[in-house]
Amino acid sequence: LTPFGKLVVKALTDQDMTKAQLADTIGTSPQYLSYILYGVRSGEKYLPAIVAALKLDPKAVERAMAA
């Protein structure tokens, strides 16, 4: 997992949400979401939706993306 992926997985756990549910919420497949979380794909198109769906702190996201 990338640092951003770890941030997302922690948020999913905290909110009792699955990766499949998040993928459905943001309009992509669970496989593509995994590609984003593992850094295989940038997922640039979906990042704002992921941040909004999980109510992530934008500053924490910036730090994770820079790491």
Side-chain angles (χ1 to χ4, degrees):
L1 286 172
T2 63
F4 176 71
K6 290 177 186 174
L7 183 71
V8 169
V9 170
K10 182 181 181 328
L12 286 170
T13 302
D14 291 348
Q15 297 178 34
D16 197 30
M17 188 178 199
T18 67
K19 289 178 190 170
Q21 289 169 321
L22 176 60
D24 188 52
T25 299
I26 66 170
T28 191
S29 69
Q31 183 64 51
Y32 195 81
L33 177 61
S34 283
Y35 287 162
I36 296 168
L37 301 183
Y38 281 91
V40 176
R41 298 276 183 224
S42 72
E44 210 170 295
K45 171 182 172 183
Y46 296 102
L47 293 181
I50 293 169
V51 171
L54 296 175
K55 299 175 184 74
L56 297 174
D57 175 10
K59 294 217 182 293
V61 172
E62 281 181 33
R63 284 192 301 272
M65 297 300 275

